[in-house]
Amino acid sequence: MSENTTIKPIVKSKPKVERPRLYKVLLHNDDYTPREFVVLVLKVVFRMGADASQRVMMTAHRMGSCVVVVCTKDVAETKVKEAMDLAKDAEFPLMFTAEPEE
Ligand code: TYC
């Protein structure tokens, strides 16, 4: 072996694939929107079944807010807009927001 042989370490770098940050969509309680309308929006916009939408509505009613779904930013923002548009058309102050998951 020659004196000048250099040994290179074989370093396999792991390609970093970042997972997209997830967002939660929150449903907020208010004193005016009828319960049936909240349930309807959850069914139509979030494709929730009767039992789940009733449970989520009642949780928001009792606790002040409830997580409806966790999804990508794009989907969360689209769902919030669709739900708020229905509420606005019906002239109810129903509110949904999207925020990054911790
Ligand atoms: N608190 C409303 C009422 O008593 C019903 C309601 C529930 C409104 C959940 C908003 O996110 C909500 N009519």
Side-chain angles (χ1 to χ4, degrees):
M1 209 196 280
S2 118
E3 294 283 312
N4 299 322
T5 307
T6 52
I7 302 168
K8 275 195 191 153
I10 300 167
V11 181
K12 278 194 183 157
S13 62
K14 246 196 198 164
K16 280 200 191 106
V17 182
E18 304 264 328
R19 260 187 243 156
R21 196 160 189 205
L22 292 178
Y23 278 64
K24 48 188 181 182
V25 172
L26 294 163
L27 164 66
H28 300 273
N29 187 36
D30 66 71
D31 292 337
Y32 304 102
T33 308
R35 294 180 186 193
E36 307 74 49
F37 184 81
V38 181
V39 168
L40 179 80
V41 171
L42 292 171
K43 284 178 178 169
V44 171
V45 175
F46 297 92
R47 299 169 188 274
M48 297 178 78
D51 288 356
S53 50
Q54 183 72 22
R55 256 198 318 274
V56 166
M57 181 278 294
M58 282 311 293
T59 303
H61 177 73
R62 290 185 179 129
M63 311 293 289
S65 66
C66 182
V67 175
V68 180
V69 69
V70 175
C71 52
T72 60
K73 186 171 193 258
D74 262 21
V75 173
E77 285 172 351
T78 303
K79 295 283 174 199
V80 166
K81 185 175 185 318
E82 284 175 14
M84 300 278 285
D85 283 351
L86 286 181
K88 215 183 283 169
D89 287 351
E91 300 187 339
F92 291 128
L94 184 62
M95 202 152 80
F96 288 84
T97 57
E99 63 178 57
E101 220 189 18
E102 304 78 44

PDB file of all heavy atoms in Angstrom, residues 55-90:
ATOM      1  N   ARG A  55     -72.004  15.020  18.188  1.00  0.00           N
ATOM      2  CA  ARG A  55     -71.030  15.006  19.291  1.00  0.00           C
ATOM      3  C   ARG A  55     -70.116  16.226  19.234  1.00  0.00           C
ATOM      4  O   ARG A  55     -69.868  16.869  20.245  1.00  0.00           O
ATOM      5  CB  ARG A  55     -70.165  13.741  19.220  1.00  0.00           C
ATOM      6  CG  ARG A  55     -70.534  12.696  20.241  1.00  0.00           C
ATOM      7  CD  ARG A  55     -69.435  11.673  20.468  1.00  0.00           C
ATOM      8  NE  ARG A  55     -68.773  11.210  19.266  1.00  0.00           N
ATOM      9  CZ  ARG A  55     -69.198  10.207  18.501  1.00  0.00           C
ATOM     10  NH1 ARG A  55     -70.303   9.559  18.790  1.00  0.00           N
ATOM     11  NH2 ARG A  55     -68.517   9.844  17.427  1.00  0.00           N
ATOM     12  N   VAL A  56     -69.622  16.530  18.026  1.00  0.00           N
ATOM     13  CA  VAL A  56     -68.714  17.678  17.858  1.00  0.00           C
ATOM     14  C   VAL A  56     -69.457  18.984  18.170  1.00  0.00           C
ATOM     15  O   VAL A  56     -68.934  19.852  18.882  1.00  0.00           O
ATOM     16  CB  VAL A  56     -68.121  17.687  16.420  1.00  0.00           C
ATOM     17  CG1 VAL A  56     -67.457  19.019  16.112  1.00  0.00           C
ATOM     18  CG2 VAL A  56     -67.118  16.546  16.271  1.00  0.00           C
ATOM     19  N   MET A  57     -70.684  19.094  17.683  1.00  0.00           N
ATOM     20  CA  MET A  57     -71.478  20.306  17.951  1.00  0.00           C
ATOM     21  C   MET A  57     -71.687  20.474  19.462  1.00  0.00           C
ATOM     22  O   MET A  57     -71.498  21.575  20.013  1.00  0.00           O
ATOM     23  CB  MET A  57     -72.827  20.199  17.217  1.00  0.00           C
ATOM     24  CG  MET A  57     -73.743  21.404  17.387  1.00  0.00           C
ATOM     25  SD  MET A  57     -74.679  21.377  18.920  1.00  0.00           S
ATOM     26  CE  MET A  57     -75.746  19.967  18.673  1.00  0.00           C
ATOM     27  N   MET A  58     -72.052  19.390  20.147  1.00  0.00           N
ATOM     28  CA  MET A  58     -72.313  19.476  21.585  1.00  0.00           C
ATOM     29  C   MET A  58     -71.040  19.773  22.382  1.00  0.00           C
ATOM     30  O   MET A  58     -71.097  20.462  23.404  1.00  0.00           O
ATOM     31  CB  MET A  58     -72.972  18.183  22.099  1.00  0.00           C
ATOM     32  CG  MET A  58     -74.459  18.099  21.779  1.00  0.00           C
ATOM     33  SD  MET A  58     -75.421  19.582  22.218  1.00  0.00           S
ATOM     34  CE  MET A  58     -75.330  19.562  24.012  1.00  0.00           C
ATOM     35  N   THR A  59     -69.903  19.253  21.905  1.00  0.00           N
ATOM     36  CA  THR A  59     -68.632  19.546  22.585  1.00  0.00           C
ATOM     37  C   THR A  59     -68.313  21.039  22.468  1.00  0.00           C
ATOM     38  O   THR A  59     -67.950  21.681  23.462  1.00  0.00           O
ATOM     39  CB  THR A  59     -67.482  18.685  22.008  1.00  0.00           C
ATOM     40  OG1 THR A  59     -67.843  17.314  22.132  1.00  0.00           O
ATOM     41  CG2 THR A  59     -66.173  18.932  22.739  1.00  0.00           C
ATOM     42  N   ALA A  60     -68.482  21.598  21.269  1.00  0.00           N
ATOM     43  CA  ALA A  60     -68.236  23.037  21.086  1.00  0.00           C
ATOM     44  C   ALA A  60     -69.222  23.843  21.937  1.00  0.00           C
ATOM     45  O   ALA A  60     -68.853  24.834  22.574  1.00  0.00           O
ATOM     46  CB  ALA A  60     -68.360  23.410  19.612  1.00  0.00           C
ATOM     47  N   HIS A  61     -70.471  23.396  21.945  1.00  0.00           N
ATOM     48  CA  HIS A  61     -71.516  24.086  22.727  1.00  0.00           C
ATOM     49  C   HIS A  61     -71.154  24.125  24.217  1.00  0.00           C
ATOM     50  O   HIS A  61     -71.312  25.156  24.872  1.00  0.00           O
ATOM     51  CB  HIS A  61     -72.841  23.355  22.503  1.00  0.00           C
ATOM     52  CG  HIS A  61     -73.990  23.893  23.288  1.00  0.00           C
ATOM     53  ND1 HIS A  61     -74.604  25.092  22.985  1.00  0.00           N
ATOM     54  CD2 HIS A  61     -74.640  23.398  24.379  1.00  0.00           C
ATOM     55  CE1 HIS A  61     -75.584  25.309  23.854  1.00  0.00           C
ATOM     56  NE2 HIS A  61     -75.618  24.291  24.704  1.00  0.00           N
ATOM     57  N   ARG A  62     -70.651  23.003  24.733  1.00  0.00           N
ATOM     58  CA  ARG A  62     -70.364  22.911  26.173  1.00  0.00           C
ATOM     59  C   ARG A  62     -69.001  23.482  26.547  1.00  0.00           C
ATOM     60  O   ARG A  62     -68.840  24.087  27.605  1.00  0.00           O
ATOM     61  CB  ARG A  62     -70.395  21.446  26.623  1.00  0.00           C
ATOM     62  CG  ARG A  62     -71.790  20.869  26.596  1.00  0.00           C
ATOM     63  CD  ARG A  62     -71.800  19.449  27.163  1.00  0.00           C
ATOM     64  NE  ARG A  62     -73.147  18.900  27.156  1.00  0.00           N
ATOM     65  CZ  ARG A  62     -73.465  17.714  26.641  1.00  0.00           C
ATOM     66  NH1 ARG A  62     -72.533  16.940  26.108  1.00  0.00           N
ATOM     67  NH2 ARG A  62     -74.703  17.298  26.671  1.00  0.00           N
ATOM     68  N   MET A  63     -68.003  23.261  25.682  1.00  0.00           N
ATOM     69  CA  MET A  63     -66.613  23.616  26.043  1.00  0.00           C
ATOM     70  C   MET A  63     -66.160  24.949  25.443  1.00  0.00           C
ATOM     71  O   MET A  63     -65.111  25.460  25.810  1.00  0.00           O
ATOM     72  CB  MET A  63     -65.633  22.529  25.573  1.00  0.00           C
ATOM     73  CG  MET A  63     -66.027  21.109  25.939  1.00  0.00           C
ATOM     74  SD  MET A  63     -65.973  20.814  27.697  1.00  0.00           S
ATOM     75  CE  MET A  63     -64.225  20.834  27.980  1.00  0.00           C
ATOM     76  N   GLY A  64     -66.905  25.438  24.451  1.00  0.00           N
ATOM     77  CA  GLY A  64     -66.503  26.693  23.804  1.00  0.00           C
ATOM     78  C   GLY A  64     -65.913  26.475  22.430  1.00  0.00           C
ATOM     79  O   GLY A  64     -66.034  27.321  21.542  1.00  0.00           O
ATOM     80  N   SER A  65     -65.245  25.343  22.239  1.00  0.00           N
ATOM     81  CA  SER A  65     -64.711  25.013  20.903  1.00  0.00           C
ATOM     82  C   SER A  65     -64.445  23.516  20.840  1.00  0.00           C
ATOM     83  O   SER A  65     -64.419  22.832  21.871  1.00  0.00           O
ATOM     84  CB  SER A  65     -63.436  25.800  20.618  1.00  0.00           C
ATOM     85  OG  SER A  65     -62.416  25.396  21.490  1.00  0.00           O
ATOM     86  N   CYS A  66     -64.248  23.029  19.616  1.00  0.00           N
ATOM     87  CA  CYS A  66     -63.967  21.604  19.430  1.00  0.00           C
ATOM     88  C   CYS A  66     -63.173  21.411  18.134  1.00  0.00           C
ATOM     89  O   CYS A  66     -63.441  22.091  17.139  1.00  0.00           O
ATOM     90  CB  CYS A  66     -65.285  20.832  19.347  1.00  0.00           C
ATOM     91  SG  CYS A  66     -65.061  19.054  19.169  1.00  0.00           S
ATOM     92  N   VAL A  67     -62.195  20.517  18.162  1.00  0.00           N
ATOM     93  CA  VAL A  67     -61.455  20.191  16.936  1.00  0.00           C
ATOM     94  C   VAL A  67     -62.371  19.350  16.051  1.00  0.00           C
ATOM     95  O   VAL A  67     -62.940  18.351  16.497  1.00  0.00           O
ATOM     96  CB  VAL A  67     -60.162  19.399  17.253  1.00  0.00           C
ATOM     97  CG1 VAL A  67     -59.467  18.973  15.967  1.00  0.00           C
ATOM     98  CG2 VAL A  67     -59.224  20.221  18.111  1.00  0.00           C
ATOM     99  N   VAL A  68     -62.504  19.787  14.805  1.00  0.00           N
ATOM    100  CA  VAL A  68     -63.362  19.056  13.865  1.00  0.00           C
ATOM    101  C   VAL A  68     -62.545  18.037  13.077  1.00  0.00           C
ATOM    102  O   VAL A  68     -62.942  16.894  12.911  1.00  0.00           O
ATOM    103  CB  VAL A  68     -64.054  20.034  12.876  1.00  0.00           C
ATOM    104  CG1 VAL A  68     -64.946  19.285  11.910  1.00  0.00           C
ATOM    105  CG2 VAL A  68     -64.823  21.099  13.622  1.00  0.00           C
ATOM    106  N   VAL A  69     -61.373  18.482  12.599  1.00  0.00           N
ATOM    107  CA  VAL A  69     -60.544  17.620  11.760  1.00  0.00           C
ATOM    108  C   VAL A  69     -59.102  18.116  11.790  1.00  0.00           C
ATOM    109  O   VAL A  69     -58.865  19.296  12.074  1.00  0.00           O
ATOM    110  CB  VAL A  69     -61.119  17.605  10.310  1.00  0.00           C
ATOM    111  CG1 VAL A  69     -60.941  18.926   9.602  1.00  0.00           C
ATOM    112  CG2 VAL A  69     -60.520  16.484   9.469  1.00  0.00           C
ATOM    113  N   VAL A  70     -58.150  17.221  11.543  1.00  0.00           N
ATOM    114  CA  VAL A  70     -56.742  17.603  11.402  1.00  0.00           C
ATOM    115  C   VAL A  70     -56.325  17.231   9.985  1.00  0.00           C
ATOM    116  O   VAL A  70     -56.530  16.082   9.556  1.00  0.00           O
ATOM    117  CB  VAL A  70     -55.855  16.881  12.442  1.00  0.00           C
ATOM    118  CG1 VAL A  70     -54.382  17.190  12.204  1.00  0.00           C
ATOM    119  CG2 VAL A  70     -56.263  17.285  13.850  1.00  0.00           C
ATOM    120  N   CYS A  71     -55.789  18.198   9.243  1.00  0.00           N
ATOM    121  CA  CYS A  71     -55.492  17.955   7.828  1.00  0.00           C
ATOM    122  C   CYS A  71     -54.419  18.944   7.350  1.00  0.00           C
ATOM    123  O   CYS A  71     -53.892  19.707   8.161  1.00  0.00           O
ATOM    124  CB  CYS A  71     -56.767  18.112   7.008  1.00  0.00           C
ATOM    125  SG  CYS A  71     -57.624  19.659   7.312  1.00  0.00           S
ATOM    126  N   THR A  72     -54.115  18.940   6.065  1.00  0.00           N
ATOM    127  CA  THR A  72     -53.115  19.873   5.536  1.00  0.00           C
ATOM    128  C   THR A  72     -53.671  21.303   5.574  1.00  0.00           C
ATOM    129  O   THR A  72     -54.888  21.493   5.651  1.00  0.00           O
ATOM    130  CB  THR A  72     -52.738  19.531   4.085  1.00  0.00           C
ATOM    131  OG1 THR A  72     -53.923  19.614   3.292  1.00  0.00           O
ATOM    132  CG2 THR A  72     -52.125  18.145   3.966  1.00  0.00           C
ATOM    133  N   LYS A  73     -52.765  22.269   5.466  1.00  0.00           N
ATOM    134  CA  LYS A  73     -53.150  23.693   5.535  1.00  0.00           C
ATOM    135  C   LYS A  73     -54.185  24.034   4.454  1.00  0.00           C
ATOM    136  O   LYS A  73     -55.200  24.667   4.736  1.00  0.00           O
ATOM    137  CB  LYS A  73     -51.892  24.542   5.358  1.00  0.00           C
ATOM    138  CG  LYS A  73     -52.098  26.027   5.538  1.00  0.00           C
ATOM    139  CD  LYS A  73     -50.754  26.721   5.569  1.00  0.00           C
ATOM    140  CE  LYS A  73     -50.871  28.142   6.059  1.00  0.00           C
ATOM    141  NZ  LYS A  73     -50.830  29.138   5.005  1.00  0.00           N
ATOM    142  N   ASP A  74     -53.899  23.573   3.246  1.00  0.00           N
ATOM    143  CA  ASP A  74     -54.792  23.843   2.107  1.00  0.00           C
ATOM    144  C   ASP A  74     -56.208  23.370   2.362  1.00  0.00           C
ATOM    145  O   ASP A  74     -57.171  24.114   2.176  1.00  0.00           O
ATOM    146  CB  ASP A  74     -54.277  23.088   0.870  1.00  0.00           C
ATOM    147  CG  ASP A  74     -53.478  23.987  -0.029  1.00  0.00           C
ATOM    148  OD1 ASP A  74     -52.997  25.015   0.472  1.00  0.00           O
ATOM    149  OD2 ASP A  74     -53.348  23.649  -1.229  1.00  0.00           O
ATOM    150  N   VAL A  75     -56.306  22.100   2.765  1.00  0.00           N
ATOM    151  CA  VAL A  75     -57.631  21.508   3.009  1.00  0.00           C
ATOM    152  C   VAL A  75     -58.310  22.237   4.165  1.00  0.00           C
ATOM    153  O   VAL A  75     -59.487  22.585   4.080  1.00  0.00           O
ATOM    154  CB  VAL A  75     -57.523  19.987   3.292  1.00  0.00           C
ATOM    155  CG1 VAL A  75     -58.867  19.409   3.700  1.00  0.00           C
ATOM    156  CG2 VAL A  75     -56.983  19.249   2.067  1.00  0.00           C
ATOM    157  N   ALA A  76     -57.555  22.508   5.237  1.00  0.00           N
ATOM    158  CA  ALA A  76     -58.133  23.176   6.408  1.00  0.00           C
ATOM    159  C   ALA A  76     -58.706  24.543   6.013  1.00  0.00           C
ATOM    160  O   ALA A  76     -59.844  24.876   6.373  1.00  0.00           O
ATOM    161  CB  ALA A  76     -57.073  23.337   7.495  1.00  0.00           C
ATOM    162  N   GLU A  77     -57.945  25.301   5.251  1.00  0.00           N
ATOM    163  CA  GLU A  77     -58.399  26.650   4.877  1.00  0.00           C
ATOM    164  C   GLU A  77     -59.604  26.597   3.943  1.00  0.00           C
ATOM    165  O   GLU A  77     -60.511  27.422   4.031  1.00  0.00           O
ATOM    166  CB  GLU A  77     -57.238  27.440   4.264  1.00  0.00           C
ATOM    167  CG  GLU A  77     -56.270  27.892   5.363  1.00  0.00           C
ATOM    168  CD  GLU A  77     -54.982  28.510   4.847  1.00  0.00           C
ATOM    169  OE1 GLU A  77     -54.741  28.451   3.624  1.00  0.00           O
ATOM    170  OE2 GLU A  77     -54.213  29.028   5.678  1.00  0.00           O
ATOM    171  N   THR A  78     -59.614  25.613   3.045  1.00  0.00           N
ATOM    172  CA  THR A  78     -60.763  25.459   2.139  1.00  0.00           C
ATOM    173  C   THR A  78     -62.025  25.104   2.927  1.00  0.00           C
ATOM    174  O   THR A  78     -63.096  25.678   2.697  1.00  0.00           O
ATOM    175  CB  THR A  78     -60.478  24.349   1.098  1.00  0.00           C
ATOM    176  OG1 THR A  78     -59.281  24.683   0.408  1.00  0.00           O
ATOM    177  CG2 THR A  78     -61.614  24.210   0.103  1.00  0.00           C
ATOM    178  N   LYS A  79     -61.884  24.175   3.869  1.00  0.00           N
ATOM    179  CA  LYS A  79     -63.050  23.745   4.672  1.00  0.00           C
ATOM    180  C   LYS A  79     -63.585  24.902   5.516  1.00  0.00           C
ATOM    181  O   LYS A  79     -64.796  25.090   5.627  1.00  0.00           O
ATOM    182  CB  LYS A  79     -62.674  22.580   5.595  1.00  0.00           C
ATOM    183  CG  LYS A  79     -62.293  21.312   4.862  1.00  0.00           C
ATOM    184  CD  LYS A  79     -63.512  20.605   4.344  1.00  0.00           C
ATOM    185  CE  LYS A  79     -63.164  19.408   3.467  1.00  0.00           C
ATOM    186  NZ  LYS A  79     -64.277  18.996   2.626  1.00  0.00           N
ATOM    187  N   VAL A  80     -62.672  25.668   6.111  1.00  0.00           N
ATOM    188  CA  VAL A  80     -63.091  26.820   6.926  1.00  0.00           C
ATOM    189  C   VAL A  80     -63.882  27.789   6.049  1.00  0.00           C
ATOM    190  O   VAL A  80     -64.959  28.260   6.430  1.00  0.00           O
ATOM    191  CB  VAL A  80     -61.879  27.531   7.570  1.00  0.00           C
ATOM    192  CG1 VAL A  80     -62.260  28.892   8.127  1.00  0.00           C
ATOM    193  CG2 VAL A  80     -61.290  26.666   8.672  1.00  0.00           C
ATOM    194  N   LYS A  81     -63.385  28.043   4.841  1.00  0.00           N
ATOM    195  CA  LYS A  81     -64.057  28.997   3.957  1.00  0.00           C
ATOM    196  C   LYS A  81     -65.447  28.477   3.559  1.00  0.00           C
ATOM    197  O   LYS A  81     -66.425  29.217   3.609  1.00  0.00           O
ATOM    198  CB  LYS A  81     -63.207  29.285   2.722  1.00  0.00           C
ATOM    199  CG  LYS A  81     -63.835  30.358   1.866  1.00  0.00           C
ATOM    200  CD  LYS A  81     -63.002  30.797   0.694  1.00  0.00           C
ATOM    201  CE  LYS A  81     -63.640  31.963  -0.062  1.00  0.00           C
ATOM    202  NZ  LYS A  81     -65.084  31.858  -0.262  1.00  0.00           N
ATOM    203  N   GLU A  82     -65.522  27.205   3.177  1.00  0.00           N
ATOM    204  CA  GLU A  82     -66.817  26.623   2.776  1.00  0.00           C
ATOM    205  C   GLU A  82     -67.825  26.713   3.911  1.00  0.00           C
ATOM    206  O   GLU A  82     -68.983  27.089   3.701  1.00  0.00           O
ATOM    207  CB  GLU A  82     -66.634  25.151   2.378  1.00  0.00           C
ATOM    208  CG  GLU A  82     -66.011  24.962   1.009  1.00  0.00           C
ATOM    209  CD  GLU A  82     -65.726  23.499   0.682  1.00  0.00           C
ATOM    210  OE1 GLU A  82     -66.241  22.605   1.400  1.00  0.00           O
ATOM    211  OE2 GLU A  82     -64.992  23.240  -0.276  1.00  0.00           O
ATOM    212  N   ALA A  83     -67.380  26.367   5.124  1.00  0.00           N
ATOM    213  CA  ALA A  83     -68.282  26.362   6.278  1.00  0.00           C
ATOM    214  C   ALA A  83     -68.721  27.779   6.630  1.00  0.00           C
ATOM    215  O   ALA A  83     -69.900  28.035   6.911  1.00  0.00           O
ATOM    216  CB  ALA A  83     -67.592  25.706   7.471  1.00  0.00           C
ATOM    217  N   MET A  84     -67.775  28.726   6.587  1.00  0.00           N
ATOM    218  CA  MET A  84     -68.094  30.118   6.932  1.00  0.00           C
ATOM    219  C   MET A  84     -68.996  30.749   5.861  1.00  0.00           C
ATOM    220  O   MET A  84     -69.834  31.590   6.185  1.00  0.00           O
ATOM    221  CB  MET A  84     -66.811  30.939   7.084  1.00  0.00           C
ATOM    222  CG  MET A  84     -65.876  30.421   8.158  1.00  0.00           C
ATOM    223  SD  MET A  84     -66.305  30.962   9.812  1.00  0.00           S
ATOM    224  CE  MET A  84     -65.746  32.646   9.741  1.00  0.00           C
ATOM    225  N   ASP A  85     -68.823  30.349   4.609  1.00  0.00           N
ATOM    226  CA  ASP A  85     -69.691  30.861   3.537  1.00  0.00           C
ATOM    227  C   ASP A  85     -71.139  30.426   3.760  1.00  0.00           C
ATOM    228  O   ASP A  85     -72.069  31.221   3.583  1.00  0.00           O
ATOM    229  CB  ASP A  85     -69.199  30.384   2.164  1.00  0.00           C
ATOM    230  CG  ASP A  85     -67.984  31.171   1.679  1.00  0.00           C
ATOM    231  OD1 ASP A  85     -67.633  32.195   2.314  1.00  0.00           O
ATOM    232  OD2 ASP A  85     -67.379  30.759   0.669  1.00  0.00           O
ATOM    233  N   LEU A  86     -71.317  29.169   4.145  1.00  0.00           N
ATOM    234  CA  LEU A  86     -72.687  28.681   4.429  1.00  0.00           C
ATOM    235  C   LEU A  86     -73.290  29.466   5.579  1.00  0.00           C
ATOM    236  O   LEU A  86     -74.459  29.855   5.530  1.00  0.00           O
ATOM    237  CB  LEU A  86     -72.657  27.181   4.784  1.00  0.00           C
ATOM    238  CG  LEU A  86     -72.428  26.183   3.648  1.00  0.00           C
ATOM    239  CD1 LEU A  86     -72.446  24.757   4.190  1.00  0.00           C
ATOM    240  CD2 LEU A  86     -73.496  26.331   2.565  1.00  0.00           C
ATOM    241  N   ALA A  87     -72.491  29.700   6.627  1.00  0.00           N
ATOM    242  CA  ALA A  87     -72.981  30.441   7.793  1.00  0.00           C
ATOM    243  C   ALA A  87     -73.336  31.878   7.407  1.00  0.00           C
ATOM    244  O   ALA A  87     -74.375  32.402   7.818  1.00  0.00           O
ATOM    245  CB  ALA A  87     -71.932  30.416   8.903  1.00  0.00           C
ATOM    246  N   LYS A  88     -72.469  32.489   6.601  1.00  0.00           N
ATOM    247  CA  LYS A  88     -72.708  33.880   6.182  1.00  0.00           C
ATOM    248  C   LYS A  88     -73.995  33.977   5.358  1.00  0.00           C
ATOM    249  O   LYS A  88     -74.820  34.854   5.572  1.00  0.00           O
ATOM    250  CB  LYS A  88     -71.517  34.371   5.355  1.00  0.00           C
ATOM    251  CG  LYS A  88     -71.210  35.838   5.590  1.00  0.00           C
ATOM    252  CD  LYS A  88     -70.070  36.332   4.714  1.00  0.00           C
ATOM    253  CE  LYS A  88     -68.707  35.907   5.195  1.00  0.00           C
ATOM    254  NZ  LYS A  88     -67.641  36.181   4.204  1.00  0.00           N
ATOM    255  N   ASP A  89     -74.177  33.039   4.413  1.00  0.00           N
ATOM    256  CA  ASP A  89     -75.393  33.027   3.574  1.00  0.00           C
ATOM    257  C   ASP A  89     -76.643  32.906   4.431  1.00  0.00           C
ATOM    258  O   ASP A  89     -77.678  33.487   4.112  1.00  0.00           O
ATOM    259  CB  ASP A  89     -75.348  31.856   2.589  1.00  0.00           C
ATOM    260  CG  ASP A  89     -74.355  32.094   1.459  1.00  0.00           C
ATOM    261  OD1 ASP A  89     -73.829  33.233   1.358  1.00  0.00           O
ATOM    262  OD2 ASP A  89     -74.087  31.148   0.694  1.00  0.00           O
ATOM    263  N   ALA A  90     -76.537  32.116   5.509  1.00  0.00           N
ATOM    264  CA  ALA A  90     -77.696  31.908   6.378  1.00  0.00           C
ATOM    265  C   ALA A  90     -77.782  32.986   7.473  1.00  0.00           C
ATOM    266  O   ALA A  90     -78.692  32.948   8.311  1.00  0.00           O
ATOM    267  CB  ALA A  90     -77.615  30.524   7.005  1.00  0.00           C
TER     268      ALA A  90
END
